[in-house]
Amino acid sequence: MAQQDFNSPQEFHSKLGLVFNATMALPLLPFVFLFLEIKNNAYTGFIEPGLPMLAISYGIPILSGLLVVKGFKLVESTRRCAAENEDLKEKLSVYYPGLSKLYILVGAACGIMSIGLWLTSSGVIIVAYVILLFTMSFYRPTPRRYVKDLHLKDDQKDIILNKKDFKF
């Protein structure tokens, strides 16, 4: 993902919030539908109980977890690169692709778990999905998170947190 230029910190927050919300909400729709069907005893999954179902039931959450870990490693490396810059605009431009990749990988993990639920209707996948959503609630994009992650100076903190005027 190429670096993006932002006209303001609000534009950065808006674009990142859109990516986060889209990657969390889109896989959630089929998952909730399947969950409700399973709870209503209207759906039992494609795969019959047995060894293949167990392998998929545990393999899918493990694969999804690996995707999320990969995303967090990408964010950590881009966070370090972004924190080295002095200019706020540069920091945000470097930081954005890393966070976007994390959210896309998490969305892919959620999508994989939705497919796994469709195949197996396993409670293990439901629990793993809930854990993933709970974990991501701590990593949603907020101005305080940007300040903390990028180690912003006091004047840069004011721009992000208090929406002070700043010419990009």
Side-chain angles (χ1 to χ4, degrees):
M1 195 173 277
Q3 282 188 352
Q4 292 211 354
D5 287 331
F6 300 101
N7 295 327
S8 68
Q10 290 79 16
E11 181 184 0
F12 170 81
H13 181 67
S14 176
K15 285 184 178 182
L16 197 58
L18 179 66
V19 171
F20 176 79
N21 291 326
T23 57
M24 292 292 105
L26 291 177
L28 187 61
L29 292 172
F31 192 89
V32 168
F33 175 76
L34 286 168
F35 177 78
L36 292 174
E37 289 294 314
I38 291 166
K39 290 300 171 192
N40 194 31
N41 293 325
Y43 186 74
T44 58
F46 257 170
I47 299 176
E48 295 294 322
L51 189 59
M53 183 180 147
L54 282 174
I56 292 172
S57 293
Y58 289 98
I60 297 262
I62 290 169
L63 174 65
S64 296
L66 292 173
L67 282 175
V68 173
V69 168
K70 175 68 174 167
F72 277 112
K73 286 184 179 185
L74 284 170
V75 166
E76 185 60 28
S77 65
T78 56
R79 185 197 58 78
R80 275 190 250 117
C81 290
E84 291 173 358
N85 291 318
E86 291 297 319
D87 183 41
L88 180 60
K89 183 177 183 178
E90 277 297 309
K91 285 182 179 190
L92 296 178
S93 294
V94 170
Y95 191 51
Y96 179 82
L99 278 177
S100 295
K101 288 176 187 174
L102 166 67
Y103 298 146
I104 289 169
L105 284 173
V106 169
C110 290
I112 289 170
M113 282 200 264
S114 293
I115 292 169
L117 186 65
W118 176 65
L119 290 173
T120 65
S121 70
S122 171
V124 173
I125 294 175
I126 294 170
V127 170
Y129 198 93
V130 169
I131 290 170
L132 179 59
L133 289 180
F134 181 73
T135 302
M136 289 311 296
S137 72
F138 294 113
Y139 292 97
R140 70 185 193 284
T142 64
R144 291 201 184 278
R145 174 155 303 282
Y146 316 142
V147 168
K148 178 183 166 204
D149 286 353
L150 297 175
H151 307 293
L152 297 180
K153 300 173 189 169
D154 287 336
D155 57 334
Q156 293 174 335
K157 282 182 190 177
D158 281 343
I159 293 168
I160 297 289
L161 295 176
N162 301 324
K163 299 180 182 176
K164 299 275 182 175
D165 290 333
F166 184 74
K167 298 290 182 195
F168 273 107

